[in-house]
Amino acid sequence: MSSNTSYQPDRDLRFFLTVPHACSYLEGREATTLFLDPQESPAQGVYDSLALLGFRRSGRHLYRPHCEGCSACISVRIPVAEFSPNRTQRRLLRRNADLTLQLRPAIYDPEHYALYARYIRTRHADGDMYPPSHEQYRTFLTLDQPYARLLEFRLAGRLLAVTAFDRLGHGLSAIYTFFDPDQERRSLGTFAILSLIDLAHRRDLPHVYLGYWIRECRKMAYKQSFQPLERLEGRRWQRLIPS
């Protein structure tokens, strides 16, 4: 698939804008979000089309930033066929070769939630996802759709990490990863993306979508370590030149 191909939904869809709210990524900025009508089921065809236009999924909602006077949020994706892990990533692959990976539907699992709650309390106690709750987890990461999946990472049966992702017609879309905070040496967030790249390659899917990248946001700098990377400009995907 050409990186400059854009798709349009085959029917009229309704969208809504949120009121301006504090930006989650850039201090002192306001953000506005464009949402697909919540009454619309995020069915596969609609989702495939909107993902190519920079939309993401959170629970049942498809959204993208729509901030007046700001274009800091850039949609990025990895062209799977062109990706080759760098030295650090190859080392991580070897370090995590003892893990077992298992695909699961995106349904609630108490073991998953326990790990998620521990991760949020340990790593994101200063963020807008704290404190964790069962309802928050269900709303964010569970969905009764065949494309919504979870990937488990286990060591001798013990759950170390879970990645939520979606299978689109043109790639895999990474939603969220949470992991055992005591396993920092394994760099499980990075390993999860490498695992999605491998899964996309084995399923002959051309892209892995990483969501939004903001040049000024230090927490998003890791996305540039996956090269090559493509960015969405308008309705065209183009190569992102590393900074």
Side-chain angles (χ1 to χ4, degrees), residues 98-100 111 152-160:
D98 56 346
L99 299 186
T100 300
E111 185 183 20
E152 294 180 340
F153 301 79
R154 293 182 181 271
L155 177 64
R158 180 163 65 95
L159 184 68
L160 294 191

Side-chain angles (χ1 to χ4, degrees), residues 223-235:
K223 297 184 181 184
Q224 284 200 91
S225 67
F226 297 91
Q227 293 293 330
L229 202 60
E230 295 177 350
R231 61 178 287 168
L232 181 62
E233 296 191 21
R235 298 190 177 191

